[in-house]
Amino acid sequence: MTFKTLDDLEPGQRVLVRLDLNSPVEDGEVQDNRRFDRHAETVRELAERGDKVVLMAHQGRPGGDDFVSLEQHAAILAEHVERDVQFVADTYGDEALDAIDSLESGEILLLENTRMCDEELPEEDAEVKANTEFVQTLAPHVDAYVNDAYSAAHRSHASLVGFALELPAYAGRVMQSEYEANSSIATREFDGQVTMVVGGTKATDVIDVMNNLGDKVDQFLLGGIAGELFLRAAGNDVGFDLEGMDFFDDQWEANRETIESLLDERGDQIKLAVDLAYEDENDERAEVAVADIDEKDRAYLDVGSETVETYDPIIRDSEAVFVKGALGLFEDERFSVGTVGVLRAISETDCFSVVGGGDTSRAIEMYGMDEADFGHVSIAGGAYIRALTGAPLAGIEVLKQD
């Protein structure tokens, strides 16, 4: 391990812990999600060993509909931790400092949304963030800093990088497990076949992953919008925007040469969809073979059943499988065949597996699969992609400096 963890932290201290509780907000109501459950492990462990636990987190961005107070988050987190979580509508003012100073052993306090502080958001060097009033005011009131917010660790914000330079710094359990799993493709040696299922909406993510991991991965199985762009590069009449769409043409212009060169150089590693699914005139799922498409005249919302049958044995023959992004619009059950098909194959295979990339991991719970059947299910999006592409994560780099 390249940084200190909770195993290295002496108990009985006042600990400042950065979580990532950023959640969907519907009609003003914060939605419970797996991030609360994951972070509860770190919070519970600290409280049970007698620490005074001070929590920081963010929600939304200024100006967004989901930019709300963390008061509801405290109540949701309390259910998962099975302990009371106090809340103070202040981050580093007198009210917050008084609440921190009055904490008793084992008590938990959640501070207000860090992004309500002007100094939190601009992406700046850790040294700059460490010298903000936010960090300089809060740091003297705690003994140690724990960063558990792996899914935000690619951001160089005050609460993520500043405190680690001012206080003894440690990784929480989520940070520790996410870092180990998501870095494993670059750091571990696998004797058997390594397969990567790559989908989602961004061609650049797929390209960066392929360029970084091409020598580590034996087979790339493609789907989603990115997969359709690769089909276009292979000479198929798909991967175009129709009226009202804004997914394909701009990405094609920006990435065409790179996609074509990847197909040319790594064609034997890349498997593309052989059929695609769409919504027919009866609002039902229909499928068409890619070879039979003469002109794109409808939106394709998933890979087809034959593609899943092609991908299935490749996954089952693998020693390690990594998933980045969905193969279709899985939130709509009609177009979940691709994403759920590959996830079920992984869950039934005795392989090392990591599932991540934005919301893809939600499909596991949504379609009744057991998270325990996967090696690691990541709650990270941007940080997971950066780990796969070999890019450093600001929040982790500062932990390594300690």
Side-chain angles (χ1 to χ4, degrees):
M1 184 60 61
T2 55
F3 42 65
K4 293 178 180 175
T5 70
L6 299 190
D7 299 327
D8 305 299
L9 176 62
E10 288 293 322
Q13 300 192 65
R14 187 176 277 108
V15 184
L16 181 64
V17 188
R18 177 57 155 96
L19 310 178
D20 184 0
L21 302 178
N22 196 38
S23 305
V25 178
E26 296 177 9
D27 299 323
E29 190 168 323
V30 176
Q31 304 298 299
D32 194 350
N33 62 67
R34 61 164 30 92
R35 284 182 173 172
F36 288 96
D37 193 49
R38 289 282 182 86
H39 285 302
E41 179 187 355
T42 296
V43 177
R44 188 185 306 111
E45 180 177 344
L46 291 169
E48 287 179 351
R49 50 182 243 164
D51 291 322
K52 301 169 183 179
V53 187
V54 183
L55 306 176
M56 295 186 295
H58 73 276
Q59 174 62 52
R61 278 183 176 269
D65 292 340
D66 61 347
F67 185 59
V68 299
S69 168
L70 298 189
E71 185 170 6
Q72 293 180 58
H73 298 69
I76 297 170
L77 183 62
E79 291 180 16
H80 289 277
V81 179
E82 298 178 332
R83 281 174 173 255
D84 184 48
V85 176
Q86 303 171 41
F87 172 74
V88 59
D90 185 23
T91 312
Y92 65 97
D94 290 341
E95 192 179 351
L97 299 180
D98 289 346
I100 292 168
D101 293 343
S102 62
L103 277 178
E104 300 289 337
S105 176
E107 289 187 337
I108 305 164
L109 170 71
L110 176 62
L111 304 177
E112 184 56 284
N113 190 342
T114 59
R115 291 186 176 176
M116 291 181 179
C117 303
D118 292 338
E119 296 174 313
E120 165 75 343
L121 270 182
E123 296 266 351
E124 297 168 310
D125 291 343
E127 290 75 15
V128 175
K129 291 304 189 187
N131 283 316
T132 57
E133 184 184 359
F134 175 19
V135 173
Q136 291 295 321
T137 304
L138 205 50
H141 290 263
V142 296
D143 304 311
Y145 170 74
V146 172
N147 193 345
D148 208 33
Y150 178 87
S151 48
H154 55 306
R155 304 292 188 192
S156 187
H157 296 159
S159 64
L160 294 159
V161 299
F163 291 99
L165 300 188
E166 295 295 310
L167 294 161
Y170 305 84
R173 296 308 184 198
V174 171
M175 177 70 81
Q176 183 182 351
S177 64
E178 288 272 6
Y179 179 81
E180 287 175 352
N182 298 343
S183 304
S184 61
I185 194 166
T187 57
R188 282 180 60 157
E189 292 294 327
F190 297 103
D191 295 327
Q193 178 171 279
V194 178
T195 298
M196 184 143 204
V197 180
V198 200
T201 60
K202 294 179 183 174
T204 50
D205 285 350
V206 174
I207 290 166
D208 290 346
V209 167
M210 284 185 174
N211 279 329
N212 188 58
L213 299 175
D215 296 331
K216 293 257 182 189
V217 175
D218 300 296
Q219 295 285 325
F220 291 98
L221 313 181
L222 267 63
I225 287 170
E228 204 174 318
L229 286 166
F230 272 76
L231 283 171
R232 177 174 175 177
N236 300 285
D237 288 315
V238 297
F240 300 87
D241 279 327
L242 301 175
E243 188 176 348
M245 270 188 194
D246 188 21
F247 299 120
F248 297 99
D249 292 340
D250 288 347
Q251 292 201 71
W252 174 254
E253 292 302 321
N255 301 292
R256 174 181 181 172
E257 290 182 10
T258 313
I259 293 172
E260 288 175 343
S261 66
L262 277 168
L263 281 173
D264 190 43
E265 295 163 15
R266 301 192 179 278
D268 57 340
Q269 292 173 267
I270 298 170
K271 293 283 186 287
L272 302 177
V274 294
D275 57 348
L276 297 169
Y278 60 92
E279 183 180 72
D280 67 14
E281 56 274 8
N282 299 316
D283 297 335
E284 293 181 356
R285 179 189 175 99
E287 299 184 351
V288 60
V290 171
D292 292 340
I293 300 171
D294 296 323
E295 178 186 0
K296 181 170 181 179
D297 57 2
R298 54 171 60 93
Y300 298 110
L301 303 172
D302 192 14
V303 298
S305 306
E306 193 175 331
T307 299
V308 178
E309 288 176 20
T310 305
Y311 289 176
D312 185 280
I314 297 172
I315 290 168
R316 293 180 191 274
D317 287 343
S318 300
E319 186 191 346
V321 184
F322 294 81
V323 180
K324 183 267 134 194
L327 299 188
L329 193 69
F330 72 83
E331 293 88 349
D332 184 328
E333 191 171 354
R334 296 171 300 169
F335 303 108
S336 64
V337 172
T339 303
V340 173
V342 298
L343 289 174
R344 285 203 195 285
I346 294 167
S347 72
E348 293 168 5
T349 303
D350 185 22
C351 63
F352 176 84
S353 60
V354 180
V355 178
D359 288 339
T360 312
S361 56
R362 282 198 301 120
I364 292 171
E365 185 178 0
M366 191 178 290
Y367 290 97
M369 290 173 274
D370 188 348
E371 208 169 290
D373 291 332
F374 300 85
H376 179 74
V377 179
S378 177
I379 55 174
Y384 178 63
I385 298 301
R386 289 184 73 90
L388 293 177
T389 56
L393 299 168
I396 289 173
E397 294 305 302
V398 290
L399 291 180
K400 292 178 180 177
Q401 291 181 27
D402 190 63

